[in-house]
Amino acid sequence: MQGLHLTADLYDCRGADGLLTDAAALAELCRRHTIGVGLTLVDEKWHPFPPYNGQPGGVTGMLLLAESHLAVHTWPERSAVTLDVYVCNFTTDNSSKAEALLREIVAAFEPGRTEIHRLQRGSEQRPPAETILEALNDAGDAVYGYTSAERVLARRSPYQTIELMRTPRFGLTLRIDGHFMTSEGEEFFYHECLVHPVAVAHGAPRQVLIIGGGDGGAAEEVLKHRSVERVVMAELDGEVVEVAKAHLQRVHHGVFNDPRLEVRIGDGLAYVAQTADRFDLILLDLTDPETPAGSLYAEAFFRSLVRIMNPGAAIVLHTGTPVFEPQQVRDIVAQLRRVFAQVHPFGLYIPLYGAYWGFAVASQTLRPRAIDAVALQQRVAALPHLRYYNAEVHHALFALPNYYRDLVQPSADAAAPLCALPALA
């Protein structure tokens, strides 16, 4: 039923020694404020704990309310308290009473520090909201997140956990192993900028390889280019493709029905090692480097791609967030520079990822910023249904903030790239 659930953790409680150890005093305080705010006491249970290691014992207790409950637990050895208040709002909104009750009890303990959380629990008219948080770095000192009104799907494939969440902000949202991947409402930020800057700069890609990309969003953008004759999607997990086909039409727009798309389920690294095909563009549309896809962000794999690239070909990949993962971004770009003569980092803010995100185009010859202005306008104008990318954005993507530029600039002693060509002005 619909209701408000409040929890509070109180630390460094001052001037409340009696309340931390005296069950009768604590019970009287809770009864008085519960009745005082207008909630209905039904029953109660209190238990004092015996002394331990020479320290007085704490108290645990609960008031049963007609509206639900109040629970308290004290730790005198830590001068700490936890509180839990829940009120049902099915027939009457008791939220203000619950807030007042919590406020009065917290004040009585005079805490030096508090952590209070509020959860709106659901109703028949409104599904319960689930808050989903994700760390922006390995240290976990920066997080972001969204609320989900419904968990549409959760399954474990042979490789990873796949989830579909229905979010008020972005609609259906795909998560893999606890990481946001794509969503109906903002997929164009990532997919258009992964594909079009490099494809437009190339001018006439015919054969394209996508490693990963099982949601179909990148393939859909690639096939907007009239020159493209064939797209190979080498996706490790066939269940990602099946979930996308069944649920994410607003991401891929039916691309799996396009005869130019060839889906190969299996290890992308093995496909690269075994194929005799050659490609004009290679898109690494992968999960993050800390996932099982980590080996595909390494210099050895970048070198293996050279064999299957046509003259003038390029690869593109995301490198992570230069704000929260600077060392990762620096390392990936440095490894690209040991293989390719032309490496061009770029970036944009991606809403679903909660940060400014880094990408890179790598090639032996292609320079995405060197395209003629007229050709750029003509090529972009030929692309249908763009929501982010345009001719002005093309150059803006490669205009790096100073901190990002400093992060990815070549070092003075960088090793020469494989098959390096003379630097172009």
Side-chain angles (χ1 to χ4, degrees), residues 58-323:
V59 177
T60 188
M62 173 178 282
L63 298 186
L64 300 181
L65 310 178
E67 298 81 8
S68 193
H69 70 263
L70 161 65
V72 185
H73 193 97
T74 71
W75 281 268
E77 70 277 15
R78 300 181 183 179
S79 298
V81 179
T82 61
L83 300 170
D84 181 319
V85 180
Y86 176 61
V87 291
C88 176
N89 292 332
F90 182 59
T91 57
T92 302
D93 189 347
N94 295 296
S95 298
S96 61
K97 297 176 183 179
E99 295 277 7
L101 176 59
L102 186 72
R103 183 171 60 249
E104 294 294 341
I105 296 177
V106 168
F109 284 101
E110 300 181 30
R113 180 166 63 91
T114 65
E115 294 180 7
I116 297 176
H117 300 276
R118 294 168 173 82
L119 173 64
Q120 291 287 348
R121 295 174 66 171
S123 70
E124 295 177 359
Q125 292 75 34
R126 183 180 61 191
E130 176 183 357
T131 300
I132 305 167
L133 299 179
E134 183 174 329
L136 283 161
N137 57 4
D138 289 339
D141 57 13
V143 299
Y144 73 106
Y146 301 97
T147 60
S148 169
E150 179 187 2
R151 188 179 291 267
V152 176
L153 176 148
R155 72 168 65 162
R156 179 71 190 173
S157 80
Y159 304 101
Q160 55 206 349
T161 299
I162 304 168
E163 297 173 284
L164 276 179
M165 320 298 294
R166 193 177 305 281
T167 66
R169 177 63 57 182
F170 298 129
L172 277 181
T173 299
L174 174 68
R175 299 176 79 225
I176 292 179
D177 282 345
H179 297 282
F180 293 109
M181 292 289 115
T182 192
S183 73
E184 293 177 320
E186 56 71 77
E187 57 82 23
F188 59 90
F189 284 80
Y190 174 88
H191 288 130
E192 289 187 16
C193 294
L194 179 74
V195 172
H196 298 311
V198 66
V200 164
H202 184 283
R206 296 169 54 208
Q207 303 290 323
V208 179
L209 171 63
I210 301 172
I211 299 180
D215 57 63
E220 190 256 342
E221 297 297 336
V222 166
L223 287 170
K224 291 179 180 179
H225 291 262
R226 297 172 184 171
S227 62
V228 174
E229 299 171 356
R230 176 175 176 246
V231 177
V232 176
M233 176 194 293
E235 165 60 53
L236 176 66
D237 194 342
E239 292 196 32
V240 173
V241 174
E242 294 308 311
V243 167
K245 287 179 178 179
H247 298 278
L248 296 175
Q249 292 88 351
R250 290 179 59 188
V251 172
H252 59 71
H253 299 281
V255 74
F256 294 102
N257 297 321
D258 193 309
R260 295 172 293 174
L261 176 60
E262 177 183 326
V263 178
R264 299 269 188 116
I265 301 301
D267 184 0
L269 192 152
Y271 176 81
V272 169
Q274 297 165 8
T275 186
D277 294 334
R278 299 293 183 270
F279 298 94
D280 302 304
L281 298 179
I282 300 174
L283 280 61
L284 306 184
D285 187 7
L286 306 168
T287 54
D288 295 337
E290 63 269 21
T291 70
S295 60
L296 279 66
Y297 290 90
E299 180 180 344
F301 181 66
F302 298 152
R303 290 187 182 277
S304 73
L305 295 177
V306 174
R307 181 186 67 84
I308 64 170
M309 295 171 69
N310 285 323
I315 73 169
V316 64
L317 73 163
H318 78 81
T319 58
T321 166
V323 181

Side-chain angles (χ1 to χ4, degrees), residues 384-404:
H385 310 304
L386 297 179
R387 299 184 64 191
Y388 190 96
Y389 179 75
N390 58 43
E392 291 77 16
V393 163
H394 180 92
H395 289 294
L397 291 170
F398 295 94
L400 305 186
N402 290 339
Y403 78 90
Y404 185 13

